[in-house]
Amino acid sequence: MADPKDTAAPGERVIIKKYANRRLYNTASSSYVTLEHLSEMVKQNVDFVVYDAKTNEDITRSVLTQIIFEEESQQGQSLLPIQFLRQLIGFYGNSMQAFLPSYLELSLASFTEQQERMRKQFSALGHTPGVGVFDEQVRQNLALFDRAMKMFSPFAYGKAEEPMATPRAQPAPPPPAPSASDEALVALRKQMEAMQAQIEKLAGKS
């Protein structure tokens, strides 16, 4: 079978047709492809869109979700932690559902940019970054995500327990200087508030 991307021009979006027999047809290479082919195309930054051959409906989202399911089903390929999946499911129907996709896109884009920067820095030094380095970056991104969720929906996390009384009140430490990540979160929150106001405005008209 021909390479599923060998006839696609650089930057050109490849059209994939899905037929009733679940077969996927690459219109650029005029060949049938599999989910594994599409997975490789994603990893090689080949842009494609999948249409139902009968209804011409865009089913790219469901096909990409199926690819993730196939990847997660393979031994040793699991990428999504169980707790993350539970939290993600909990957002369906939640008031935060409309805002989460934008935040996840921003978070993953930031994560990818950071990893690429780290690879270039280590490559310049002639070293390969260890797993521990990436683990620390993951912890930082998860902390950023947790702080953002508390900022956007503080009541979702419940009230904090009242601190025990102390004989003498201690002066509060000075607030830390805002970091670039905090500034990005504030900007994102303002954008989400504007989106919410627009939604409420449209709902009022209806």
Side-chain angles (χ1 to χ4, degrees), residues 51-205:
Y51 292 108
D52 184 289
K54 183 177 181 180
T55 64
N56 207 36
E57 177 187 0
D58 186 342
I59 57 173
T60 308
R61 182 189 301 273
S62 63
V63 171
L64 292 177
T65 304
Q66 189 177 357
I67 291 175
I68 293 175
F69 175 79
E70 294 292 337
E71 294 284 359
E72 288 288 315
S73 299
Q74 296 183 34
Q75 186 68 25
Q77 284 286 100
S78 297
L79 184 66
L80 303 175
I82 292 179
Q83 184 59 25
F84 172 80
L85 292 173
R86 292 182 187 276
Q87 292 176 330
L88 189 62
I89 292 172
F91 277 108
Y92 284 97
N94 188 285
S95 59
M96 292 293 297
Q97 180 176 347
F99 307 126
L100 187 61
S102 296
Y103 178 78
L104 290 178
E105 287 184 355
L106 176 65
S107 180
L108 283 176
S110 175
F111 182 81
T112 302
E113 181 181 349
Q114 291 169 356
Q115 304 316 305
E116 184 62 27
R117 187 182 304 116
M118 290 174 60
R119 288 190 181 93
K120 289 181 179 179
Q121 291 174 348
F122 276 91
S123 177
L125 296 174
H127 300 290
T128 301
V131 175
V133 176
F134 289 113
D135 285 345
E136 178 60 27
Q137 189 61 59
V138 169
R139 282 192 290 269
Q140 293 179 11
N141 279 274
L142 289 177
L144 179 65
F145 176 81
D146 186 67
R147 188 161 69 251
M149 290 299 98
K150 290 179 180 178
M151 178 187 295
F152 298 142
S153 185
F155 298 107
Y157 285 77
K159 295 182 179 179
E161 296 182 359
E162 292 293 334
M164 295 180 62
T166 55
R168 184 167 45 188
Q170 299 294 328
S179 63
S181 298
D182 291 330
E183 293 177 356
L185 287 173
V186 171
L188 181 58
R189 183 180 184 182
K190 290 181 179 179
Q191 180 181 1
M192 288 183 171
E193 289 175 348
M195 291 169 58
Q196 180 65 27
Q198 185 66 20
I199 292 172
E200 293 175 354
K201 182 178 179 181
L202 293 174
K205 290 182 178 180

Side-chain angles (χ1 to χ4, degrees), residues 6-18:
D6 57 5
T7 59
E12 179 184 352
R13 170 172 285 188
V14 178
I15 304 298
I16 307 293
K17 293 284 187 178
K18 185 175 183 180

Side-chain angles (χ1 to χ4, degrees), residues 37-46 48 64 67:
H37 282 130
L38 297 186
S39 178
E40 287 301 317
M41 290 170 68
V42 171
K43 295 173 184 178
Q44 295 174 23
N45 296 320
V46 177
F48 64 84
L64 292 177
I67 291 175

